[in-house]
Amino acid sequence: MNEHLTEKIIGCAYSVANTLGSGFLEKVYENALAHELRKRGINTKQQAGMNVYYDGIIVGEYVADLLVENVLVELKAVKSLDNIHMAQCMNYLKATGLQVCLLINFGSPRIEIKRVINGFL
């Protein structure tokens, strides 16, 4: 299920990147990608708040750029992705218990997409 969903999300991300190109703020890409996903009938929440657990208690809250069904989508508009961005996704997955995060960078001339799986870096 997640594999087909991530393929759909990636397809939508390419549509957004091909239309807008690079150079906008992250929020522009978030809004455009959310619109593209919803247009295709995919359940999407923007700025979705999620609890962060430690030892069975809530210790904080994380706000995901997009929560697409059960996949986190972390958006960037930077020159290039760095290891810290991958680590950020891994931490979000560990803290929320979700399994998949797509890290998408619209900031470079060519869109960058990384699929991060909980437990694998």
Side-chain angles (χ1 to χ4, degrees):
M1 169 91 180
N2 274 344
E3 189 172 321
H4 296 298
L5 179 58
T6 58
E7 288 173 6
K8 289 178 184 179
I9 298 167
I10 290 168
C12 290
Y14 273 104
S15 293
V16 169
N18 290 338
T19 302
L20 293 178
S22 61
F24 290 101
L25 293 174
E26 187 179 297
K27 189 66 174 176
V28 171
Y29 297 108
E30 177 190 319
N31 291 336
L33 183 54
H35 171 72
E36 193 66 36
L37 289 160
R38 290 179 183 130
K39 190 168 78 172
R40 297 182 191 194
I42 301 169
N43 185 18
T44 303
K45 294 180 186 173
Q46 288 180 257
Q47 299 298 306
M50 291 187 261
N51 292 326
V52 177
Y53 292 91
Y54 173 80
D55 198 27
I57 64 165
I58 298 170
V59 294
E61 184 179 55
Y62 155 65
V63 179
D65 291 330
L66 295 173
L67 178 61
V68 183
E69 296 182 15
N70 61 346
V71 174
L72 287 176
V73 179
E74 182 65 26
L75 302 177
K76 300 294 178 193
V78 295
K79 185 176 178 180
S80 65
L81 291 175
D82 193 54
N83 287 341
I84 192 71
H85 299 123
M86 296 287 288
Q88 183 181 33
C89 286
M90 282 301 306
N91 287 339
Y92 295 159
L93 290 174
K94 280 190 250 178
T96 61
L98 294 172
Q99 293 302 307
V100 179
C101 180
L102 286 178
L103 175 59
I104 303 173
N105 181 28
F106 290 99
S108 61
R110 187 175 169 153
I111 189 173
E112 293 178 90
I113 301 172
K114 303 284 185 190
R115 186 178 291 154
V116 182
I117 309 296
N118 197 351
F120 299 96
L121 187 57

